Amino acid sequence: MDFQLSEEHRMAQKMVRDFAAKEVIPVIQEWDSKQEMAPHFLPRMGELGIMGINIPVKYGGQGFDYITLGLVCEELEYADSSLRVVMSVHMGLNSMAVLQWGTEDQKQRFLVPQAKGEKVAAFGLTEPDAGSDVAAMTATAVKDGNEYILNGEKMWISLATKADHTLVVCRTDMNADKPTSGMTAFMVENARDGVTSGDIHGKLGVRAGSTGWVNMQDVRIPEENRIGEEGEGFKISMSCLDNGRYTVAAGATGLIKASLDASVKYAQERKTFGVQIAEHQLIQQKIAHMHRDHEMAQLLYLKAGWKKNLGERNTRETSLAKWFATEASFNAASEAVQIHGAYGYSDEYPVERFLRNSKGAVIYEGTNEIHQLVQAAYAFGWRKDRPLRKELPAFDPDVWQE
Ligand code: CAA
């Protein structure tokens, strides 16, 4: 076992840390207040290679491993959750699915421009009445010659109005014997006739991010845009979530660190009863909890990333990492507000934004209630991972850098 990060890991980490410190942190509060995504963030992340960080060079990426993806997400969410959400959907829920399930033609058409940051990618699974219960979805795709006609509405879609490509899951077999069968995944170009989208405003957090809805009205797409086989949509969406949840776990780890650093700084500036509040043991206890949780969250996501590098299924590890890190980041942000007292309750300090942002991640990409059910099912032996037709490819530095 080796706890050292490689030189490549540290290089990528530093690159994102510098970007966040110089270009994001100084302006993020302003964009959060405006409830808009800064228009230059996506192009800039593309220029820096972040949008394809762990995609092989031959598919337009930077050729780093899956651990690097986690480290990048940790650094991005240290600055603001909205930037990590970009990686969750563009990379975790979409690009990695094309890497895993896509044909060579799909990799050339979709993955290459996405990894280069020329096209932005989103993921359309959730519907107005189907969130945790994925199998309750009603969007349909009906075969017509060598095309499919898609109809339905997807809701709570990150980057809905920014994306060029959306990986959507629709029902193709209305008479499937199991609710999780009969669904199929498709890559939809958002510019196609019949696709409309809009933003959702008034969210509690991730206000500098983009969240919306996507409507599909008789959208015709060629069968070459189908990802995987008919009926594989549920499994593909779950495999996408194994990657999306990994980025959420890593990002939440960064949010714990942001809450910790802000609290350590403030506790050494603010005085009460004639001493720095850092001198008070109840403040020290909160700081110690944040540090403990940061270390534990990091270990959990790094273990999941290590399994990804080996090409091993990591559904259980990723779900655990996501559950732990997001719950811990919510607690850390809440305690950071408490340490800052009344100032923490205002946007004069970033911790109120951390608290608002942290709440989203205990809800999206599987509520933490779902993750507890998944963990219990593994513990009882009710849940077993069966081999998939196509697994996420193991990281091979020679192949990735080719
Ligand atoms: N990878 C591949 N296949 C998987 C899998 C995985 N991780 N998990 C399950 N499967 C397979 C199973 O092997 C099984 O296959 P067979 O039919 O061949 O046996 C099949 O899928 C059905 O699996 P389950 O029986 O486990 O399904 P379930 O109905 O018991 O459980 C659930 C489902 C865990 C509740 C699941 O529906 C779930 O995770 N729900 C949460 C959904 C979610 O996270 N939504 C977030 C939306 S995206 C988002 O929020 C992003 C954004 O833009 C903000």
Side-chain angles (χ1 to χ4, degrees), residues 304-316:
W306 168 76
K307 290 199 85 172
K308 284 182 195 297
N309 275 354
L310 295 175
E312 288 180 14
R313 275 291 283 283
N314 51 86
T315 307
R316 186 178 189 174

Side-chain angles (χ1 to χ4, degrees), residues 89 93 123 125-126 131-132 134 156-158 178 180 234-235 238-239 241-242 245 313 315 364-366 370 374 383-384 386 388:
V89 296
L93 294 168
F123 180 68
L125 181 68
T126 301
S132 295
V134 174
W156 303 112
I157 306 304
S158 304
K178 284 205 303 182
T180 51
F234 184 83
K235 285 184 192 178
M238 290 298 124
S239 72
L241 286 163
D242 284 348
R245 289 164 179 172
R313 275 291 283 283
T315 307
Y364 54 63
E365 300 226 22
I370 288 284
V374 166
R383 193 181 177 93
K384 294 209 167 52
R386 280 186 258 288
L388 297 173

Side-chain angles (χ1 to χ4, degrees), residues 15 21 27 43 53 64 95 139 223 240 254 274 281 300 312 341 357 376:
M15 181 267 289
V27 298
I53 194 82
F64 288 92
S95 299
E223 65 183 345
C240 291
Q281 288 184 336
L300 288 174
E312 288 180 14
N357 285 351

